[in-house]
Amino acid sequence: MDYVVKRLSGNDTGLTGGHQAGIYLPRQFFEKVLPEINTTKSYNPRVSIECLLPVNGADVTTLSAIFYNSKFFPERKLKKKYNEFRLTGWGGRKSPVQNDENTGCVFVFAVGRDGGNYSSIALVAESEGDEKLVEEWLGECVEPGRIILSGDGSAGADVPFDFPNGWVTTFPNG
């Protein structure tokens, strides 16, 4: 499994009022984890990912990982040209990931592949205790504007979170 950790921006949660959809994640994460959507051969390629979002129990949602690549399709004559990767389908404001009150909270997203299927787990550290647990696991603070990827040298020892049986119960080492 690979993971990414960042603080949710106002653009991620919808606080800024922008109409971008979903959580922005860097190209390097998608190149490593979902290389099939890192292409300009098709318009806005996407893949579905089952995601466990442990909040008030355990909600499972189907996310879309999308490469918004309109920059490479001038024939569409679009006003805005995009070249960015996002995770959408969080469920709007009812999801802690897109609750604007969680702007600035630490967000952890881990994804793995079993054959042709993806599964993932997402955590929003909504309390100081959750945030401290994540930062202790990483061995460093998650500074605003910084994105931490698995394999980038972070400590990332396994940390058990309270997930239901049958789902990942620890995050992998970095």
Side-chain angles (χ1 to χ4, degrees):
M1 263 196 162
D2 289 286
Y3 64 86
V4 61
V5 181
K6 67 178 274 185
R7 288 193 178 272
L8 292 172
S9 71
N11 202 1
D12 291 331
T13 63
L15 180 67
T16 60
H19 59 273
Q20 287 91 344
I23 307 300
Y24 166 80
L25 293 175
R27 173 181 303 276
Q28 296 89 330
F29 180 73
F30 285 92
E31 286 174 345
K32 181 177 181 185
V33 178
L34 304 161
E36 64 270 31
I37 69 169
N38 187 25
T39 181
T40 57
K41 292 181 180 176
S42 62
Y43 180 69
N44 291 351
R46 66 189 66 214
V47 65
S48 294
I49 302 173
E50 289 295 308
C51 183
L52 175 69
L53 188 56
V55 75
N56 298 330
D59 291 334
V60 177
T61 188
T62 301
L63 303 175
S64 288
I66 305 171
F67 176 23
Y68 288 106
N69 62 5
S70 59
K71 175 182 175 181
F72 303 99
F73 292 86
E75 67 276 9
R76 291 183 174 258
K77 297 182 174 40
L78 300 172
K79 289 181 185 178
K80 296 202 176 199
K81 311 268 190 286
Y82 293 100
N83 180 19
E84 65 185 28
F85 294 83
R86 290 193 176 266
L87 285 173
T88 66
W90 294 101
R93 300 277 180 251
K94 69 180 182 176
S95 166
V97 177
Q98 291 194 297
N99 178 341
D100 59 15
E101 291 185 14
N102 288 337
T103 300
C105 288
V106 173
F107 169 73
V108 180
F109 181 72
V111 63
R113 185 179 211 161
D114 182 17
N117 298 317
Y118 290 99
S119 61
S120 64
I121 196 158
L123 172 75
V124 177
E126 295 179 275
S127 71
E128 284 184 33
D130 287 348
E131 188 170 304
K132 183 177 178 183
L133 181 65
V134 171
E135 291 183 333
E136 285 176 359
W137 163 62
L138 287 170
E140 59 187 302
C141 291
V142 181
E143 300 295 331
R146 180 163 178 234
I147 297 176
I148 301 168
L149 302 173
S150 55
D152 74 352
S154 301
D158 288 344
V159 171
F161 291 96
D162 294 326
F163 299 137
N165 290 336
W167 285 83
V168 174
T169 56
T170 59
F171 285 105
N173 287 332

